Amino acid sequence: MASRSPAEQLEVDGIDVRMSNPDKIYFPELGDDGGRKRDLVGYYRTMALPRDGADGPIMAALRDRPTFLQRFPDGIEGDEIYQKHIAKKRPEHVQSTRIVFPSGRTGDALRPTVPADIVWAANLGTVTFHSWPTRTDSGHDHPDQLRVDLDPQPGTDFDDVRRVALEVLHPILDDLGYTGFPKTSGGRGIHVYIPIEPRWDFIAGRRAVIALAREMERRDPDSVTTSWWKEERGERIFIDFNQNARDRTMASPYSVRRNARGRVSTPVTWAELVDVDPDDCTMATVADLVARRGDPMAGIDEHRAGLEPLLEMVQRDDADGLGDMPYPPSYPKMPGEPPRVQPSKKVAAHWDAEGNRIED
């Protein structure tokens, strides 16, 4: 077993944060050349600290949002801890916020309010921060972002996702008057955030994304699918609408991912998306990229729009017999939701008109 390196104290915008065992290897492929705990923590410190009188990029993305921690205390090849509940024993500067899960149970999640919170969490082995689309000041029942997850299926790659984002999604957003903010997922996909006024609940926001996804599918059915069931997706890009259900989160902008190269989920402009290579967006490169050209998501809240155009599309789909879509298995049965059974296993005689299973 490798010996532990001495702990160090980091000053983070006026708050001291202890970094334990800084030379521990977190990314074995990178090793001592950028793969140590100190490299991960240092990246997050740089991205959290204020600059030019404003929040650092990841602080701006996470401030006041319920945040879950994807932790790898022994490095990315070790065990994962997906932490939704903040520990009761924590530094005074680390705040929490009360959230309600789909089951109705409540919990207290991390609520980042100062850069030291990000660095403290990174020292716990947090590789990726997963945030809610809500902020504490407006409650956690009304999202201020729609999140479009373009998920490549087997047989497709990043170039396929890129084309759908640029040639299908972006024109629809322009037609509807929305401003979309794309980012690489840190894997093979792309996420697009759409800022909205926090006046609608999660159910309305999710239905709005379903309507948007269906319009994408109508415009390019050979490349886009809204099917929740993998057996029906084929070699197309799946628009994961359930990322907009309560308690579902995405890797935040500027989060490192569990990737051998330390890839980062990186905001880019639509122009940059044309030729961005996700392999170039890592915790070794992204801080310099932002320093050179700024944060494309800066000012995202200034572009909030209403849901009305998308809700009109929801009404049109309902009138055409296209209602709700299945929720994830862990969610309670929702009103108007179709049966949660994959088509190949559904026997019509076993289900009633409301989508409830008829017991034998």
Side-chain angles (χ1 to χ4, degrees):
M1 180 180 296
S3 60
R4 293 179 62 88
S5 51
E8 299 177 11
Q9 289 291 118
L10 299 177
E11 189 275 327
V12 186
D13 200 27
I15 298 175
D16 288 336
V17 178
R18 182 175 183 269
M19 178 172 56
S20 61
N21 202 9
D23 292 328
K24 186 173 185 176
I25 300 298
Y26 269 25
F27 297 84
E29 186 171 302
L30 300 176
D32 290 328
D33 186 18
R36 302 163 299 176
K37 183 178 185 178
R38 71 165 68 248
D39 299 304
L40 177 72
V41 173
Y43 165 78
Y44 277 125
R45 180 179 181 274
T46 298
M47 299 302 288
L49 285 173
R51 54 189 74 189
D52 300 324
D55 279 337
I58 195 165
M59 193 69 230
L62 294 177
R63 177 178 289 280
D64 286 327
R65 297 189 185 278
T67 301
F68 299 157
L69 308 178
Q70 188 179 8
R71 297 169 52 202
F72 299 92
D74 293 318
I76 62 168
E77 294 183 357
D79 291 338
E80 173 184 339
I81 301 171
Y82 192 79
Q83 184 174 342
K84 294 186 177 184
H85 301 270
I86 191 70
K88 292 183 178 180
K89 185 178 180 180
R90 59 184 188 267
E92 289 185 3
H93 63 82
V94 179
Q95 303 297 308
S96 66
T97 187
R98 179 60 55 92
I99 52 177
V100 180
F101 296 103
S103 64
R105 291 180 291 111
T106 61
D108 294 314
L110 171 65
R111 171 196 173 193
T113 61
V114 293
D117 298 340
I118 308 299
V119 177
W120 168 81
N123 181 63
L124 296 178
T126 300
V127 171
T128 307
F129 294 85
H130 296 262
S131 64
W132 278 44
T134 63
R135 283 202 174 98
T136 299
D137 60 0
S138 60
H140 296 309
D141 293 320
H142 300 89
D144 65 355
Q145 295 171 346
L146 301 180
R147 295 174 173 182
V148 184
D149 181 5
L150 291 85
D151 185 8
Q153 301 304 291
T156 64
D157 58 22
F158 184 79
D159 284 336
D160 297 313
V161 182
R162 185 205 318 267
R163 189 194 66 76
V164 167
L166 289 168
E167 298 180 11
V168 184
L169 175 58
H170 194 196
I172 294 173
L173 295 180
D174 284 345
D175 291 346
L176 296 173
Y178 290 108
T179 302
F181 291 80
K183 67 182 181 73
T184 64
S185 70
R188 298 187 304 124
I190 290 171
H191 302 155
V192 178
Y193 284 13
I194 304 169
I196 60 170
E197 299 165 1
R199 297 193 285 120
W200 291 269
D201 62 15
F202 278 97
I203 293 175
R206 177 178 168 277
R207 287 298 307 273
V209 174
I210 290 173
L212 177 61
R214 282 173 167 155
E215 180 61 22
M216 294 174 66
E217 189 174 33
R218 277 188 285 267
R219 295 196 185 190
D220 193 348
D222 292 333
S223 301
V224 179
T225 179
T226 60
S227 179
W228 178 245
W229 307 108
K230 291 183 180 180
E231 65 185 30
E232 295 184 329
R233 294 177 188 171
E235 295 183 0
R236 293 179 288 178
I237 307 305
F238 171 53
I239 310 303
D240 189 354
F241 49 85
N242 271 330
Q243 291 289 9
N244 294 271
R246 177 184 288 276
D247 187 40
R248 295 299 286 265
T249 62
M250 278 188 175
S252 77
Y254 301 107
S255 267
V256 181
R257 305 307 305 272
R258 186 187 192 178
N259 173 275
R261 297 173 56 88
R263 278 185 180 180
V264 170
S265 183
T266 306
V268 292
T269 66
W270 287 104
E272 289 171 336
L273 185 59
V274 171
D275 57 10
V276 67
D277 184 342
D279 278 335
D280 293 336
C281 301
T282 71
M283 63 180 183
T285 64
V286 166
D288 287 341
L289 171 65
V290 175
R292 289 197 309 271
R293 63 85 154 104
D295 174 14
M297 284 196 176
I300 185 173
D301 292 344
E302 299 171 8
H303 297 271
R304 288 177 176 171
L307 273 188
E308 289 90 350
L310 285 170
L311 294 181
E312 289 179 6
M313 293 169 61
V314 171
Q315 292 178 347
R316 180 194 67 191
D317 287 344
D318 282 342
D320 290 339
L322 298 173
D324 205 348
M325 300 280 273
Y327 275 76
S330 60
Y331 284 64
K333 177 72 175 177
M334 301 296 287
E337 180 190 0
R340 292 182 198 171
V341 58
Q342 62 193 78
S344 63
K345 294 183 179 180
K346 184 179 178 183
V347 179
H350 294 168
W351 300 86
D352 65 20
E354 284 71 42
N356 299 308
R357 185 174 180 80
I358 300 172
E359 299 298 333
D360 295 332

